[in-house]
């Protein structure tokens, strides 16, 4: 299968190449795509060097799939050009997520909405992905009424510049800044830009995307998203109110049997999920499971996942794997 990776030289694009290789995705030919300033550079995939090309050159090569991680404006401009050429695009930016004509997909939750006609498929926001993977089996069983989530998000979610800022500050080095304030030894209750209602775009994404992925607009979500000086993954404190009551042991079993979820919940032995342990893993880790004792039918949970992998690259590759398995891309469709 001929695969283009658009934004191949960025943090997520590099991770996409790594995940494609690790998961042995059937790539017969790789086409790395980036901005004009990166054209001619080489990326390595399965030990072979590939030269970075422009989007228009990639389209001429007629790949079956294009994995996009090049920012919203690039996606809005270039994804339709790939789609018009019959190439299936899986886009990691926020450009298409809330477009009613586009599917927003987390494979463990709603892969079954995909068809061969879907030529631009949206990959959700990193913090939404890990939350819905954990919430889906619980919603199916107990029906979620309301979610209150506070996030503790890794600097890798912002990009290389943010990682550099953190380590420059830690080492007393002056350098370019990704954030308006110091991030080392600090937390910023501010991810993306503020909107008119006082929430940030990141917070609004979590609210709207959760409803769209779960296919249920009755789920009420309120969010506070926070950037913290860590690498490795995003963490979330999640308070979930259900319509029906639950047995905590049964709930724990449901989660442990759910696809893509690992329960780490043994407080007697100080076992709970941490970003350090989630780093370079594809699963969503859930722990600190306990009843909210202030109101009925309500759970407190702690959810952690590697934001560059399950929160971005791995989820996109899993969508691609589903399309291949269901024969929704490539020769099977053309036939």
């Amino acid at each position: 299968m001929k695969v283009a990776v658009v934004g191949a030289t960025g943090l997520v694009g590099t991770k996409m190449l790594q995940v494609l290789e690790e998961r042995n995705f059937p790539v017969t030919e790789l086409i790395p795509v980036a901005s004009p300033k990166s054209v001619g550079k080489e990326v390595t995939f399965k030990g072979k060097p590939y030269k970075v090309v422009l989007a228009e050159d990639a389209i001429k090569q007629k790949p079956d799939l294009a994995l996009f991680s090049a920012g919203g404006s690039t996606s809005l401009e270039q994804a339709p050009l790939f789609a018009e050429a019959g190439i299936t695009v899986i886009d990691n930016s926020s450009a298409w997520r809330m477009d009613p004509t586009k599917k927003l997909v987390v494979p463990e939750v709603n892969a079954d909405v995909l068809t061969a006609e879907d030529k631009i498929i949206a990959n959700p926001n990193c913090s939404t992905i890990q939350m819905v993977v954990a919430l889906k089996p619980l919603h199916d069983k107990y029906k979620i009424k309301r979610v209150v989530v506070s996030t503790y998000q890794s600097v890798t979610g912002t990009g290389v510049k943010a990682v550099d800022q953190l380590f420059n500050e830690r080492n007393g080095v002056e350098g370019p800044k990704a954030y308006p304030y110091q991030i080392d030894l600090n937390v910023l209750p501010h991810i993306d830009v503020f909107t008119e209602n006082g929430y940030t775009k990141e917070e609004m994404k979590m609210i709207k995307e959760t409803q769209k992925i779960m296919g249920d607009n009755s789920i009420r979500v309120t969010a506070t998203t926070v950037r913290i000086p860590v690498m490795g993954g995003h963490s979330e404190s999640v308070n979930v109110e259900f319509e029906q009551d639950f047995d905590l042991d049964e709930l724990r079993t449901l989660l442990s049997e759910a696809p893509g979820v690992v329960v780490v919940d043994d407080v007697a032995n100080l076992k709970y999920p941490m970003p350090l342990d989630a780093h370079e893993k594809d699963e969503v880790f859930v722990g600190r499971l306990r009843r909210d004792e202030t109101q009925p039918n309500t759970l407190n949970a702690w959810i952690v996942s590697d934001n560059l992998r399950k929160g971005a690259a791995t989820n996109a590759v899993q969508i691609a794997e589903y399309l291949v398995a269901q024969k929704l891309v490539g020769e099977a469709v053309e036939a």
Side-chain angles (χ1 to χ4, degrees):
M1 186 157 286
K2 211 185 271 194
V3 178
V5 175
V6 182
T9 56
L11 261 188
V12 176
T14 304
K15 193 60 71 177
M16 280 176 172
L17 295 173
Q18 181 191 330
V19 172
L20 284 166
E21 186 168 326
E22 282 176 10
R23 294 175 74 93
N24 241 338
F25 190 80
V27 180
T28 50
E29 193 179 329
L30 179 78
I31 308 165
V33 181
S35 62
K37 69 175 188 293
S38 295
V39 168
K41 283 184 185 170
E42 286 188 344
V43 301
T44 305
F45 181 73
K46 291 197 172 177
K48 283 177 64 181
Y50 291 85
K51 275 202 163 54
V52 172
V53 299
L54 288 170
E56 48 263 41
D57 298 321
I59 292 167
K60 283 177 194 156
Q61 293 181 57
K62 287 261 194 272
D64 302 283
L65 274 172
L67 302 182
F68 265 68
S69 187
S73 54
T74 302
S75 291
L76 285 171
E77 182 190 329
Q78 294 181 358
L81 303 176
F82 279 79
E84 281 158 20
I87 301 155
T88 301
V89 172
I90 302 168
D91 179 51
N92 197 56
S93 79
S94 59
W96 306 99
R97 290 176 189 157
M98 295 316 297
D99 182 326
T101 68
K102 305 289 182 287
K103 309 286 173 57
L104 182 66
V105 176
V106 177
E108 295 91 338
V109 179
N110 66 335
D112 58 349
V113 299
L114 291 169
T115 69
E117 281 68 55
D118 293 310
K119 287 302 176 198
I120 298 177
I121 300 161
N123 209 31
N125 181 23
C126 45
S127 44
T128 308
I129 289 173
Q130 66 187 69
M131 187 170 78
V132 297
V133 167
L135 292 185
K136 175 68 164 78
L138 305 183
H139 183 55
D140 288 348
K141 179 76 177 173
Y142 309 113
K143 188 150 176 41
I144 294 169
K145 283 173 70 173
R146 182 170 185 256
V147 179
V148 182
V149 54
S150 296
T151 71
Y152 305 71
Q153 294 182 224
S154 160
V155 292
T156 56
T158 309
V160 176
K161 192 176 175 184
V163 175
D164 290 345
Q165 178 180 339
L166 172 61
F167 284 101
N168 283 341
E169 288 169 355
R170 195 154 285 187
N171 297 316
V173 175
E174 280 299 314
K177 295 201 181 304
Y179 303 119
Y181 300 103
Q182 176 178 320
I183 184 64
D184 190 31
L185 299 175
N186 197 15
V187 300
L188 305 180
H190 168 197
I191 298 180
D192 210 327
V193 299
F194 284 97
T195 62
E196 282 180 11
N197 64 1
Y199 287 79
T200 64
K201 269 194 176 172
E202 184 85 355
E203 289 157 355
M204 295 312 296
K205 285 175 199 169
M206 290 196 78
I207 294 163
K208 292 174 177 165
E209 290 179 24
T210 298
Q211 293 175 334
K212 183 171 177 179
I213 298 160
M214 303 277 269
D216 189 342
N217 286 340
S218 75
I219 299 173
R220 293 176 297 151
V221 183
T222 188
T224 304
T225 58
V226 182
R227 189 73 66 191
I228 65 170
V230 301
M231 308 271 287
H234 291 348
S235 307
E236 297 171 347
S237 170
V238 185
N239 178 272
V240 194
E241 182 187 356
F242 300 106
E243 281 192 5
Q244 294 157 35
D245 200 6
F246 57 88
D247 174 81
L248 203 49
D249 288 336
E250 179 189 53
L251 183 144
R252 197 177 272 113
T253 301
L254 271 177
L255 281 170
S256 62
E257 291 171 352
V261 175
V262 175
V263 175
V264 183
D265 189 34
D266 177 9
V267 292
N269 292 299
L270 308 187
K271 301 287 188 201
Y272 34 71
M274 295 182 291
L276 211 54
D277 297 327
H279 184 52
E280 286 297 341
K281 298 195 171 82
D282 288 329
E283 295 82 12
V284 173
F285 299 86
V286 184
R288 297 296 324 275
L289 294 163
R290 63 214 188 273
R291 268 185 190 280
D292 176 345
E293 296 182 344
T294 65
Q295 64 170 13
N297 307 357
T298 304
L299 175 79
N300 280 311
W302 178 250
I303 301 171
V304 179
S305 193
D306 185 320
N307 55 293
L308 292 183
R309 290 184 69 104
K310 183 54 186 168
T314 302
N315 199 74
V317 174
Q318 286 174 317
I319 293 171
E321 288 170 345
Y322 179 87
L323 294 172
V324 171
Q326 300 297 318
K327 299 186 166 50
L328 300 176
V329 287
E331 291 167 13
V333 177
E334 286 151 29

